[in-house]
Structures are given as structure tokens and as C-alpha cells.
Amino acid sequence: MLKWHGMVTHAKLLRQGLEEVATKDEHYRADVVRWIREFVGHHDADFGDLIRALPGVDPIVVRMHLDDAASGLSSSIRWTRYDSVVSKDDPLPVPHPLDFDWRFTNATLRSLSDELLEAGSRRTILGAPSLWLSLRDRKPSTSPCLFDANPLIVRSVSDIKAQEVSITNLLADPFEVVTSDIVFADPPWYPEHLKAFSWVGSSLLDARGVLYLSVPPVGTRPGVERERAELLSWTNKLGLTPRCIRSGALGYAMPPFERAALSAAGILPFVPHDWRRGDLIVFERTGDIQVSRPQVHDKPWSERTIDGIRIKIDVSAPAPGTEPNLVSVIDGDVLPSISRRDDRRGAVHVWTSGNRVFGCAAPNRLLEIIDTLIGGALPTSPSDRSAAMSIKVLVEQEKRDLAV
């Protein structure tokens, strides 16, 4: 049994940027190699099964460690191909990587919906629109409340009542206190987001109310065990007492941007679409909040949608020139990583929902060009028209990717 404590192609893409990310913490590197060795020693070692068994280690990081000659592990792995699973009927907007938007598998939605419908009558969902939709569909009369930062949700789901959805950035925006006996929170898996969501969740709960909080498994990145200890200390100051921690309780379906990253890294066919699992901590509200609300200020990106394809532009970035053309910053334009710690992200000024990334010398001007396209026209100047045509080609590429 594994004990948790606490393809030669595309090798250049795997190592560029990712190697530095994965080896900044040598203890983490040693843990990953040890976990892989333990699995190989006890199982008929298939890569997909290995990914499912590890405690949240990114498949790209696993592949890099397998390819490391010092580990000697690559020859022990069998590469089985998995059928591609792409959801065609999700009414929600296509996820964008900058939103950290992973959605639950159907099996997880069923089990969570069953539990939450039995657990209480006043339910609030923070940052989990797929769960909110599932509860709404299962029992329309319950009208759970959703807090989410993505305004496209309101436009994409029909028959929404005014009191059902609050478009709110839970990291900083004021919010309406909706008294609840159940709150389910699925924040981005970073310390500042977990603290902010848990503070809001506790402030919404009645005495003896229950907060369900998704958290990253210990292998997600270096330092997660320490982060979780700090989170438990933080939630104690929020009047929250942990009832239980359920390892691997939450299953997530692979979003298109993650498919794109794994494809660029050369391993998509070998990764199960539901490989990603999250841990679930269940808290009870037993006291008062003793600390102020944390303020988190993520870098703002302007966003536009063309034919369902989402494009985010960093208009806060310095504009070193006047040409609005897309500039390649990596080979193939698809970032073969979804890690926030990837240093290549710093050169990105334009980011699509398909994980395509570009630089741009004049992002504000590019935003104006996209608005012109959305309005049904083409710019008149040659440079602006060239940028507009690049955007149109980009959108068609991503539409084809979504249809796979």
C-alpha cells in the first residue's frame, strides 16, 4: 500500500519552465519519486493508474520525473490510451485557466447533491457553479444561492431568479450575507484564496452550521502539508471546528484548458479525464470570527468572448510599443502547464480559454480591435486588420478544439 506522509517526445517542453517549478523544493521532488517507486513496486504499473493513485501530483510533473534518468522509473511504466471524454451539454461558459475553473464529475455531483440536500435547507455555494446547477436541477424548489465571480454564468443559464446568483469576487468585493446552515466552498487551491473563501463561508453560517471546503491533496505542489496546517489554524480563528477530512472525496472533470496543456506536453491520451481529485474538509461553526476579512487583490484581466471562446487581455501591463499583433512566447503557443508557479506566465498578455498564450506590445489597442470584431466590423488600418484576422483564426482553432 502507498503511504502518504504529510514517450521521449516533447521532452524539451516538459523541462522548459516545469523543471524549475518541480525542483524548487527538493523534499517534494523526493516525495514524488518515492510515491512513484512505491506504486511501481506494488502494482502492474500503468501511467493512468499511477496518476490516479498519487496524491494530486500533476501528470506533467510525474512524466518529467519518470523521464529523469536518475530515477530509472520510465521503463517500469505501461502507457495505456484512454478514451477522450468531452462534455457537450454543459450550459456553463467554457472554463478559463485564469479563473482556476475545474468542475466536478457527474459522480461527484450526484453524491454531493444527495448529501447537501439531506444536510440542510438553506444552502449557499461559493465558486462551484456545476454543484449549484446540480442542486437546482435535482430540487428546483430549494433555490440554493451561488456566489461566483464569472458574470457569464448569468448569461448562459436560463431561468435564473434574481436571488439565486450573486456575481461577486469573494476575494475583495462586498457581499450580501445570506444566512445558511450549509455552505459549500470550492476556492482556487492557493492559501490566500482558501483563507478568503473560508472567511466568507463562516460569516454566512448559522451557529452549528456546516462548511464544506475543498482543499488540494498533499502532492499538488511543494508545501501543501504546511499550507493545510496553517489553514486549520486560520479556520480555528473563524469559529470553525473540523469534523472530518475526506481524502480524495471530490472528483473533477478535465477542463479544455487542461486538455490543451496535456496535449502540448504529449501525454493527453494517457491521462484519465477524471484523474484529478480534491480533499474535502467538513467544518462546524462553533464560535465567532476573531479576525478581519483578508483582502486578496489578483491582477485584473479584461475579458471578451467571441463565439463562446473566452480571451483575457492584461491591459494593466506596460505597453512597450504600438503594434497590437499577437506575439508568440512559447513554441506552439499552447502553454504545456497549468501551474501558477510556471515562470513563463510572466510574458503572457493574452490568454485564451484553450490555454493559448501570447505577448502583445499594445494590449489596450488589441482590446479595442476585439471590440470592433464583436461589433461585426473589421478595423481599417493594415496593422489593426492583421491583428483582427489573427484573432479570428485563433477563435476558429479553439472552436475546433472544443468540438473534439
Side-chain angles (χ1 to χ4, degrees):
M1 294 291 290
L2 291 173
K3 299 179 178 62
W4 307 132
H5 304 292
M7 20 223 119
V8 178
T9 58
H10 302 277
K12 182 179 178 181
L13 282 175
L14 287 170
R15 292 190 178 280
Q16 181 186 0
L18 286 172
E19 186 167 42
E20 183 177 352
V21 166
T23 58
K24 284 180 178 177
D25 189 317
E26 288 301 322
H27 293 294
Y28 175 75
R29 178 185 175 88
D31 282 342
V32 172
V33 172
R34 173 171 55 82
W35 294 334
I36 295 172
R37 289 189 186 281
E38 290 179 355
F39 182 87
V40 170
H42 292 85
H43 299 80
D44 183 16
D46 176 77
F47 183 75
D49 292 338
L50 169 63
I51 294 302
R52 282 190 169 120
L54 294 174
V57 183
D58 189 298
I60 298 174
V61 173
V62 176
R63 169 68 185 278
M64 189 193 68
H65 286 305
L66 290 174
D67 283 348
D68 186 349
S71 74
L73 291 167
S74 183
S75 61
S76 303
I77 298 297
R78 186 178 69 253
W79 297 85
T80 300
R81 290 178 174 267
Y82 289 83
D83 292 335
S84 176
V85 177
V86 181
S87 175
K88 304 288 187 180
D89 56 357
D90 187 351
L92 295 169
V94 61
H96 195 287
L98 288 174
D99 294 340
F100 308 104
D101 187 359
W102 275 263
R103 295 166 190 171
F104 296 119
T105 62
N106 289 335
T108 294
L109 288 174
R110 285 192 296 270
S111 62
L112 286 177
S113 297
D114 287 344
E115 181 169 352
L116 297 185
L117 286 170
E118 292 181 4
S121 59
R122 294 167 297 162
R123 289 168 287 272
T124 299
I125 309 300
L126 308 182
S130 59
L131 178 58
W132 168 75
L133 270 182
S134 176
L135 289 167
R136 189 174 183 264
D137 292 343
R138 288 280 298 276
K139 196 171 182 181
S141 61
T142 61
S143 293
C145 182
L146 171 69
F147 286 81
D148 199 279
N150 187 355
L152 296 177
I153 291 173
V154 175
R155 303 177 210 168
S156 61
V157 179
S158 61
D159 193 33
I160 290 181
K161 301 172 185 174
Q163 70 272 20
E164 281 188 292
V165 177
S166 175
I167 301 303
T168 305
N169 177 2
L170 292 174
L171 304 181
D173 289 352
F175 61 94
E176 179 184 357
V177 175
V178 180
T179 305
S180 310
D181 46 19
I182 298 292
V183 173
F184 188 100
D186 189 26
W189 286 347
Y190 295 100
E192 66 272 26
H193 299 85
L194 288 159
K195 287 183 177 180
F197 273 60
S198 59
W199 192 96
V200 172
S202 182
S203 69
L204 298 178
L205 283 175
D206 282 338
R208 318 310 297 190
V210 177
L211 171 66
Y212 294 77
L213 181 68
S214 75
V215 298
V218 295
T220 303
R221 62 177 173 273
V224 167
E225 285 184 295
R226 181 188 68 253
E227 292 171 7
R228 284 172 59 155
E230 292 172 354
L231 176 65
L232 289 174
S233 176
W234 167 258
T235 52
N236 181 60
K237 299 173 185 176
L238 303 180
L240 297 171
T241 300
R243 282 182 174 177
C244 63
I245 300 177
R246 303 180 192 171
S247 298
L250 304 174
Y252 293 87
M254 190 185 297
F257 63 80
E258 186 175 38
R259 289 177 51 83
L262 293 176
S263 180
I267 59 173
L268 176 62
F270 312 106
V271 180
H273 81 282
D274 58 352
W275 75 271
R276 185 179 294 275
R277 309 294 298 186
D279 294 351
L280 182 65
I281 305 182
V282 183
F283 296 92
E284 183 177 358
R285 174 78 184 270
T286 57
D288 296 328
I289 297 177
Q290 302 170 14
V291 288
S292 300
R293 182 186 183 186
Q295 292 293 306
V296 182
H297 299 287
D298 284 346
K299 181 170 71 172
W301 292 69
S302 293
E303 179 175 340
R304 297 295 185 267
T305 301
I306 304 177
D307 291 346
I309 302 304
R310 299 172 63 191
I311 303 173
K312 295 202 177 195
I313 302 99
D314 181 10
V315 294
S316 66
T322 59
E323 292 299 318
N325 291 316
L326 299 175
V327 178
S328 290
V329 293
I330 60 169
D331 293 340
D333 297 327
V334 177
L335 186 63
S337 165
I338 53 172
S339 171
R340 192 176 73 166
R341 296 170 294 125
D342 192 318
D343 291 337
R344 292 170 292 184
R345 297 166 73 106
V348 178
H349 301 134
V350 180
W351 205 318
T352 74
S353 45
N355 219 40
R356 286 182 170 85
V357 293
F358 303 91
C360 182
N364 279 284
R365 188 172 167 192
L366 179 63
L367 186 65
E368 293 174 0
I369 291 168
I370 293 174
D371 285 338
T372 299
L373 279 176
I374 292 173
L378 280 174
T380 55
S381 75
S383 61
D384 288 4
R385 185 178 289 265
S386 173
M389 295 308 296
S390 296
I391 292 294
K392 293 184 74 171
V393 170
L394 181 62
V395 168
E396 291 303 316
Q397 286 178 319
E398 301 233 332
K399 286 168 64 177
R400 288 194 295 271
D401 291 346
L402 284 176
V404 172

